């Protein structure tokens, strides 16, 4: 047993107490109920902005005790079925449940089941006899439960429990829960609603009912089935209850809550964080009763700027939804995140919860993987639409507007968002590697590593603006991912810091890979589909994205000091973005890019422009042959240039072939003498020497200089701004599922 012999002995002792009834002896050495102070009502917690302004007060202990006689009988039966079926048969501790938990925990080597009865739970709710989920704590709790059973009636224990148990949303007790979820008195709820309340007691935050499907529905139906098995419901009543949809009232913000979407996000993040508390009950108790001050990172001025920018571009009630997240790359702090719907209109938080296909904005991760694999921005790719063979089968890929650019450079394919080129590139570098880089750069949403369609931002992929702003911030941060957070720190009532987010930057791309990737993405904004995202005076790197049928439109990008992602789309994911604010078909290069530019222009207005940087050790000075772009040599002198080391070419320019040798002329034939009777035969003259050599020598291959760095591809030329165009190219991504 992992927790050692003491834990084993403690549980064995607990079993002995339960089975033999010898608790009277042991309780002499343990605290009694009379010696324990009741749990304090707790201190309210506050959520504050960086300026110190209070955003919300967390004191949601909605309590309204009522007598057991005012509770419907089917509610009592549902709770007993769900939490303690043998409540009226045991003396505070259920021996069968303890043995069952002992067997389970011994098998797993840890405490996974506690076997707690309603009486034991009430002891834990009313008192604090021990901390943690240790065997010693469970032993103390069990003995105190036995003492409670001897001093109080079962009805009194059950009434206190039903008025004290936490059921989520700040509701303590069944009356408060009925008002919170159903807006009615508990006496008026039906059997299905009773089963639902009983079902969520075990984990009220994760089982919060949000619709007619999911874990809450499954657990409710299980409670209803068991109620019928034990005779608490007739078969007809059970069947009617099973057919009843789950309908709960909308979550209500606290009065005077400022930025309710943000406050909800803070609560969700802390309630899901095991470092904030071991169980949901402990986390809720700490959050709502701990007297904490929760410092957020959201700048209220930037938040209002982001909201106003969305409203300027999409002011109509019938306009599509939009979301934006603004991140500071150096710290990972979320400075603004908002949608264009108020909390009254939509409680769903678009920036952190709305997962939609990202389209070509996801090509950035393919680009980073390719650069890291040795691809050069000038490397030629096949941009011809057609069938691509993948491990999953064949994949038919088309370009936007059925275009066919043919052979295109990597930088050009990025600027014009050529789907076919990127689909082939993604398959070549590895879809799993693309997915891994996306996760490492900051995408928290699930990224399937076996779907080639993700290279174009399609398939089963869905991301949020939080994901994309965090990932693009990694590029601005030189390839180091700073974990993105909306909570800076938490202080207790004494002002001591008691919780900090993970702030450890992790190197996920080498600085030169991040720099070159960023440089290629600058070309998208300067001369490609992202022209509308330009910010005067600032370098901007980004990528547009438009999904099939123009359902979602994105712009994700970064400056050296701020990163942002913008999404525009309808809540119904099947409605195309056509005829919006005079735009015939919304693409990532239209409204989203314009929102990005306006937001960044105003957010950066008070800052001095700076550029993307790469440390000196990642640069190299070399001689480049201007004709080939390769390293210069003795036979092709070049120009001295400074390039990132990763782009330094590894090969020298081709050695020219030697000129052909002229063959030596044959010696002339001696003249044939004319016979003469009077002239004697002459001796032949001396043969002429062959002509002298023309001086051509075979060139020798120069040996590389020991001072020269190892070769790599040339730097792409710095993109120069192109003239304004009336209708910049777009980048709709179309992908057909692979055959087989």
């Amino acid at each position: 047993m992992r927790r050692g012999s003491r834990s084993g002995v403690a549980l064995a002792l607990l079993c002995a107490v339960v089975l033999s009834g010898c608790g009277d002896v042991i309780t002499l050495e343990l605290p009694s109920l009379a010696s324990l102070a009741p749990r304090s009502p707790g201190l309210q917690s506050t959520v504050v902005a960086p300026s110190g302004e209070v955003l919300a007060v967390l004191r949601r202990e909605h309590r309204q005790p009522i007598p057991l006689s005012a509770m419907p009988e089917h509610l009592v039966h549902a709770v007993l079925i769900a939490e303690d079926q043998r409540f009226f048969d045991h003396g505070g501790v259920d021996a069968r449940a303890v043995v069952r938990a002992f067997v389970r925990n011994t098998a797993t080597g840890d405490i996974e089941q506690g076997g707690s009865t309603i009486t034991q739970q009430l002891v834990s709710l009313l008192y604090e006899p021990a901390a943690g989920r240790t065997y010693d704590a469970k032993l103390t709790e069990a003995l105190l439960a036995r003492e409670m059973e001897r001093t109080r009636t079962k009805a009194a224990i059950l009434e206190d429990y039903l008025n004290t148990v936490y059921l989520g949303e700040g509701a303590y007790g069944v009356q408060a829960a009925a008002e919170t979820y159903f807006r009615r008195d508990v006496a008026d709820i039906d059997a299905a609603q009773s089963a639902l309340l009983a079902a969520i007691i075990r984990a009220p935050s994760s089982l919060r009912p949000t619709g007619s499907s999911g874990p809450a529905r499954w657990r409710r139906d299980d409670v209803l089935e068991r109620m019928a098995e034990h005779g608490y419901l007739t078969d007809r009543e059970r069947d009617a209850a099973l057919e009843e949809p789950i309908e709960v009232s909308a979550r209500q913000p606290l009065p005077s809550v400022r930025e309710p979407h943000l406050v909800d996000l803070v609560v969700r993040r802390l309630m899901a964080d095991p470092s904030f508390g071991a169980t949901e009950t402990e986390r809720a108790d700490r959050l709502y009763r701990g007297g904490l001050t929760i410092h957020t990172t959201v700048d209220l001025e930037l938040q209002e700027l982001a909201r106003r920018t969305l409203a300027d571009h999409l002011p109509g009630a019938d306009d599509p939804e939009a979301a934006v997240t603004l991140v500071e790359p150096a710290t990972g702090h979320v400075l603004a995140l908002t949608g264009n719907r108020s909390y009254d209109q939509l409680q769903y938080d678009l920036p952190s919860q709305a997962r939609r296909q990202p389209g070509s904005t996801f090509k950035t991760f393919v680009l980073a993987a390719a650069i890291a694999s040795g691809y050069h921005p000038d490397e030629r790719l096949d941009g011809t639409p057609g069938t691509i063979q993948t491990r999953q089968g064949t994949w038919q890929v088309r370009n936007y507007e059925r275009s066919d650019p043919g052979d295109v450079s990597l930088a050009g394919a990025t600027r014009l968002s050529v789907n076919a080129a990127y689909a082939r590139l993604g398959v070549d570098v590895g879809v799993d590697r693309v997915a891994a880089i996306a996760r490492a750069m900051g995408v928290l949403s699930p990224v399937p590593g076996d779907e080639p369609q993700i290279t174009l931002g399609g398939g089963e992929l869905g991301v949020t603006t939080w994901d994309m702003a965090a990932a693009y911030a990694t590029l601005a941060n030189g390839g180091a991912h700073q974990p993105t957070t909306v909570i800076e720190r938490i202080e207790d009532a004494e002002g001591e810091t008691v919780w900090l987010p993970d702030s450890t930057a992790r190197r996920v791309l080498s600085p030169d890979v991040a720099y070159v990737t960023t440089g290629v993405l600058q070309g998208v904004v300067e001369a490609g589909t992202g022209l509308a995202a330009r910010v005067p005076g600032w370098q901007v790197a980004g990528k547009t994205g438009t999904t099939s049928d123009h359902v979602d439109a994105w712009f994700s990008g970064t400056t050296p000091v701020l990163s942002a992602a913008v999404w525009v789309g309808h809540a119904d994911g099947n409605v195309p973005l056509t005829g919006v604010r005079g735009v015939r078909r919304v693409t990532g290069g239209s409204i989203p890019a314009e929102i990005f530019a306006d937001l960044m222009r105003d957010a950066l207005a008070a800052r001095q422009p700076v550029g993307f940087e790469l440390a000196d050790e990642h640069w190299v000075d070399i001689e480049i042959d201007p004709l080939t772009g390769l390293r210069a040599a003795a036979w092709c002198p070049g120009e001295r240039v400074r390039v990132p080391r990763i782009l330094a070419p590894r090969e020298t320019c081709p050695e020219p072939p030697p000129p052909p040798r002229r063959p030596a002329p044959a010696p002339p034939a001696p003249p044939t003498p004319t016979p003469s009777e009077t002239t004697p035969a002459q001796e032949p003259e001396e043969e002429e020497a062959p002509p002298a050599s023309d001086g051509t020598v075979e060139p020798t291959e120069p040996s590389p200089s020991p001072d020269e760095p190892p070769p790599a591809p040339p730097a792409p030329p710095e993109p120069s701004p192109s003239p304004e165009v009336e209708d910049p190219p777009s980048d709709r991504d179309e992908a057909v599922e692979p055959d087989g």
Side-chain angles (χ1 to χ4, degrees):
M1 197 174 291
R2 292 181 183 175
R3 297 181 182 269
S5 58
R6 181 182 179 187
S7 300
V9 171
L11 185 57
L13 180 59
L14 176 57
C15 294
V17 169
V18 172
L19 297 174
S20 67
C22 60
D24 293 335
V25 177
I26 300 176
T27 51
L28 297 176
E29 300 179 9
L30 292 170
S32 65
L33 290 177
S35 68
L36 295 173
R39 187 184 295 272
S40 68
L43 301 173
Q44 68 183 24
S45 297
T46 56
V47 182
V48 300
S51 61
E53 295 176 73
V54 175
L55 302 180
V57 174
L58 304 181
R59 57 169 184 268
R60 296 189 299 172
E61 292 201 9
H62 181 190
R63 300 177 186 270
Q64 195 170 348
I66 59 172
L68 185 64
S69 58
M71 303 176 193
E73 193 173 74
H74 49 65
L75 172 64
V76 175
H77 292 152
V79 172
L80 292 176
I81 284 291
E83 293 298 312
D84 190 355
Q85 185 176 323
R86 300 183 65 253
F87 174 72
F88 288 102
D89 298 326
H90 61 65
V93 179
D94 187 348
R96 296 180 187 176
V98 170
V99 172
R100 184 173 61 248
F102 173 69
V103 172
R104 174 64 177 169
N105 297 338
T106 302
T108 61
D110 208 341
I111 299 180
E112 292 191 0
Q113 295 182 6
S116 294
T117 63
I118 281 178
T119 312
Q120 288 174 271
Q121 292 181 50
L122 182 61
V123 167
S124 180
L125 290 169
L126 295 180
Y127 305 98
E128 296 180 292
R133 297 179 68 207
T134 65
Y135 286 124
D136 291 346
K138 299 299 293 182
L139 174 61
T140 302
E141 178 187 272
L143 294 173
L144 292 175
R146 287 174 58 81
E147 181 182 345
M148 180 177 284
E149 290 269 354
R150 288 195 301 270
T151 58
R152 304 184 64 184
T153 66
K154 287 282 187 179
I157 292 172
L158 187 57
E159 179 179 295
D160 273 1
Y161 176 77
L162 292 172
N163 280 316
T164 307
V165 66
Y166 180 65
L167 288 129
E169 301 300 305
Y172 288 81
V174 293
Q175 174 64 25
E179 292 179 356
T180 298
Y181 291 115
F182 311 124
R183 299 290 184 262
R184 63 182 63 179
D185 287 336
V186 71
D188 298 326
I189 66 176
D190 59 26
Q193 292 168 329
S194 291
L196 179 62
L197 292 184
I200 65 177
I201 288 175
R202 185 168 300 177
S205 293
S206 60
L207 290 174
R208 183 188 190 276
T210 56
S212 289
S213 63
R217 173 64 180 262
W218 304 331
R219 185 155 166 73
R220 182 206 72 170
D221 291 354
D222 178 64
V223 171
L224 289 171
E225 293 282 5
R226 290 163 60 196
M227 289 174 70
E229 289 175 9
H230 288 80
Y232 297 137
L233 293 176
T234 66
D235 290 347
R236 177 176 296 180
E237 290 170 333
R238 176 202 60 198
D239 293 343
L242 289 172
E243 291 296 324
E244 187 174 314
I246 292 181
E247 296 177 347
V248 296
S249 299
R251 180 182 294 173
Q252 297 295 309
L254 287 173
S256 73
V257 170
R258 185 172 181 181
E259 301 293 341
H261 282 119
L262 171 60
V263 174
D264 274 2
L265 173 60
V266 168
V267 171
R268 284 199 310 273
R269 290 291 163 101
L270 292 177
M271 286 298 293
D273 186 357
S275 72
F276 189 67
T279 66
E280 284 198 10
T281 300
E282 289 178 24
R283 295 193 283 272
D285 190 65
R286 190 178 187 189
L287 186 61
Y288 294 108
R289 306 173 72 253
L292 305 175
T293 301
I294 302 166
H295 295 267
T296 67
T297 64
V298 171
D299 184 309
L300 293 181
E301 291 185 3
L302 292 177
Q303 179 81 337
E304 183 57 34
L305 171 63
R307 187 176 291 117
R308 188 170 62 248
T309 304
L310 292 180
D312 288 345
H313 288 270
L314 298 167
D318 295 330
D319 284 336
E321 281 76 25
V324 61
T325 300
L326 185 68
V327 173
E328 186 175 54
T331 61
H333 288 175
V334 176
L335 302 183
L337 76 165
T338 185
N340 64 337
R341 297 288 186 265
S342 69
Y343 196 85
D344 291 335
Q345 294 172 309
L346 183 66
Q347 296 180 25
Y348 193 65
D349 184 42
L350 292 172
S352 66
Q353 292 182 300
R355 292 178 178 172
R356 302 295 284 260
Q357 284 190 345
S360 288
T361 58
F362 210 78
K363 289 175 181 173
T364 290
F365 308 117
V366 182
L367 174 64
I371 298 297
S373 299
Y375 274 81
H376 189 282
D378 289 338
E379 190 152 345
R380 310 303 291 179
L381 305 175
D382 181 5
T384 305
T387 300
I388 297 174
Q389 187 66 41
T390 73
R391 286 183 295 181
Q392 289 75 23
T394 57
W395 180 21
Q396 188 70 28
V397 179
R398 298 188 296 269
N399 294 325
Y400 181 67
E401 300 289 5
R402 305 295 196 272
S403 64
D404 183 0
D407 202 30
V408 63
S409 70
L410 173 55
T414 308
R415 284 195 302 271
L416 301 179
S417 203
V418 181
N419 288 340
Y422 258 89
R424 292 184 176 93
L425 180 64
V427 171
D428 183 57
V429 299
V431 176
D432 54 346
R433 187 174 187 189
V434 172
I437 284 182
R439 298 185 202 104
M441 288 178 66
V443 175
L444 300 178
S445 299
V447 181
D450 56 354
E451 292 186 10
Q453 290 85 356
I454 71 166
T455 59
L456 305 183
E460 296 300 316
L461 182 63
V463 299
T464 63
T465 58
W466 175 299
D467 291 327
M468 299 306 283
Y472 278 69
T474 300
L475 292 176
N477 210 36
H481 175 61
Q482 189 73 43
T484 312
T485 182
V486 76
I487 304 172
E488 182 191 9
R489 70 184 187 281
I490 298 177
E491 297 172 345
D492 63 14
E494 285 73 41
E496 296 292 327
T497 299
V498 294
W499 186 92
L500 289 169
D502 178 13
S503 60
T504 304
R506 297 172 179 84
R507 170 66 56 194
V508 298
L509 297 174
S510 65
D512 46 2
V513 168
Y515 183 81
V516 173
T517 302
T518 303
V520 174
L521 293 175
Q522 284 180 257
V524 174
V525 178
E526 293 298 330
T529 60
L531 287 170
R534 288 179 293 182
V535 180
W538 285 87
Q539 293 181 352
V540 178
K543 187 72 190 72
T544 53
T546 313
T547 61
S548 296
D549 300 322
H550 292 79
V551 169
D552 300 287
W554 290 76
F555 185 84
S556 301
T558 188
T559 69
V561 295
L562 290 179
S563 170
V566 180
W567 165 81
V568 176
H570 288 284
D572 183 345
N574 297 314
V575 179
L577 295 166
T578 55
V580 179
R581 317 310 305 170
V583 179
R584 184 170 64 91
R585 290 187 301 179
V586 177
T587 65
S590 59
I591 293 176
E594 293 164 4
I595 291 172
F596 176 93
D598 289 351
L599 173 61
M600 284 294 187
R601 183 192 62 239
D602 294 340
L604 297 169
R607 303 201 191 198
Q608 189 67 28
V610 295
F612 295 106
E613 296 181 354
L614 181 63
D616 288 342
E617 61 264 26
H618 299 290
W619 293 85
V620 61
D621 293 315
I622 57 173
E623 296 277 346
I624 295 291
D625 172 29
L627 294 180
T628 63
L630 301 176
R631 297 171 70 89
W635 49 87
C636 55
E639 300 173 354
R640 194 92 177 153
V641 296
R642 189 167 188 256
V643 297
R645 185 178 296 273
I646 194 173
L647 294 185
R650 292 177 169 80
E651 298 177 358
T652 57
C653 57
E655 181 179 349
R661 290 180 179 275
R662 291 201 303 269
T672 304
T674 303
S676 172
E677 294 180 358
T678 58
T679 306
Q682 298 180 353
E683 298 242 355
E685 293 182 333
E686 185 175 348
E687 185 177 351
E688 291 184 358
S693 167
D694 62 1
T696 302
V697 294
E698 290 288 331
T700 57
E701 183 167 342
S703 58
S705 167
D707 296 326
E708 287 290 339
E718 191 70 19
S720 58
S722 66
E724 291 284 342
V725 298
E726 183 176 350
D727 186 15
S730 182
D731 65 337
R732 176 182 175 195
D733 305 316
E734 297 187 16
V736 179
E737 293 293 329
D739 300 327

